[in-house]
Amino acid sequence: MSNRAVLQVPTKQLTLRRLRRAELPESSINMARYLVGKTLVRELSRGRLVGRIVETEAYLPGDAACHAYGGITPRNRALFMDRGHSYVYFIYGNHFMLNVVGGREGIGTGVLLRAIEPLEGIELMKKHRGVTRLHELTSGPGKLAQAFRINMRLYGQDYCAEGPLWLADAVQPVGRIGKSPRIGINKNAAPLLRFYEKGNPFVSGPKALNG
């Protein structure tokens, strides 16, 4: 059972405060933990999508599983921007993945957003995903990206500035945070670099990792 109640769907638009870059930790490990409970916002012409971040993974300098490993390429150049920018990539031929760049400019590190708890724009998310069950909407990085209409046009977006994708402060205190090995990687898989809100039904992954 959850250690906190899942938020009720708000009846009116939430008042959100955009995060400032100075508030973001310069370490991707600290950033991954810090972002759990914070708010992701996607602005679309048809409405606003909002959700609480409930699961993240850190990818570090010198980490063989990090896309920045081996240096700058046209694909990963956004990872070398200053913290608080977006890094988007396409994988398995059908999924986008959304990341927050960590560290100072030139370092090459980031945080994968793995799952959110939907708050606003839920009916629009359902249309994007083609599903009706709430808990299936955003419980995984590919699902999150599809629900939030993430694509390569958002590559390098500044999460701390006005625009179609931004980060806001938490709308309520975060519950207990757990950590585990990262999911779905073969390289450097052992470190405990995945962070999640314990008991949240939108967290992805096997139950054995979510205790």
Side-chain angles (χ1 to χ4, degrees):
M1 297 294 290
S2 174
N3 61 298
R4 66 163 193 87
V6 174
L7 283 177
Q8 298 296 312
V9 176
T11 56
K12 61 181 181 180
Q13 193 173 76
L14 293 164
T15 299
L16 301 171
R17 181 186 69 81
R18 193 186 315 275
L19 292 178
R20 300 183 296 274
R21 200 172 327 280
E23 297 175 86
L24 302 179
E26 291 188 357
S27 157
S28 282
I29 295 178
N30 293 338
M31 173 88 84
R33 194 182 192 285
Y34 171 83
L35 288 175
V36 176
K38 300 301 188 292
T39 309
L40 179 68
V41 185
R42 176 76 164 100
E43 305 278 3
L44 295 168
S45 59
R46 290 179 290 170
R48 187 172 83 164
L49 310 178
V50 180
R52 293 181 68 248
I53 299 168
V54 297
E55 183 184 357
T56 63
E57 286 180 344
Y59 289 84
L60 311 180
D63 177 358
C66 180
H67 285 187
Y69 188 75
I72 299 176
T73 68
R75 183 196 190 201
N76 71 17
R77 58 182 174 78
L79 273 175
F80 292 84
M81 299 174 74
D82 196 5
R83 68 193 188 282
H85 287 81
S86 70
Y87 171 54
V88 180
Y89 63 90
F90 194 60
I91 192 170
Y92 305 135
N94 60 354
H95 290 305
F96 290 99
M97 299 286 178
L98 181 62
N99 301 258
V100 180
V101 177
R104 297 184 301 277
E105 184 175 0
I107 297 297
T109 177
V111 175
L112 173 66
L113 302 184
R114 284 198 55 90
I116 68 156
E117 178 184 323
L119 296 180
E120 283 184 20
I122 290 173
E123 291 306 312
L124 193 51
M125 292 184 205
K126 288 179 179 178
K127 290 180 181 179
H128 294 164
R129 288 273 294 118
V131 300
T132 57
R133 294 185 61 187
L134 184 63
H135 290 166
E136 293 180 0
L137 280 183
T138 52
S139 55
K143 296 176 183 180
L144 183 164
Q146 187 178 32
F148 270 61
R149 275 291 193 263
I150 302 302
N151 53 52
M152 295 308 294
R153 290 191 295 273
L154 298 170
Y155 188 94
Q157 173 70 37
D158 188 349
Y159 286 106
C160 302
E162 291 187 12
L165 185 68
W166 49 282
L167 288 169
D169 203 0
V171 296
Q172 77 163 47
V174 68
R176 291 190 302 134
I177 296 178
K179 59 183 180 179
S180 81
R182 294 171 294 190
I183 296 174
I185 61 172
N186 297 318
K187 299 176 180 178
N188 200 26
L192 304 181
L193 296 174
R194 171 178 170 264
F195 299 86
Y196 60 95
E197 185 175 48
K198 287 192 171 187
N200 191 291
F202 293 94
V203 169
S204 69
K207 291 181 179 180
L209 289 181
N210 296 334

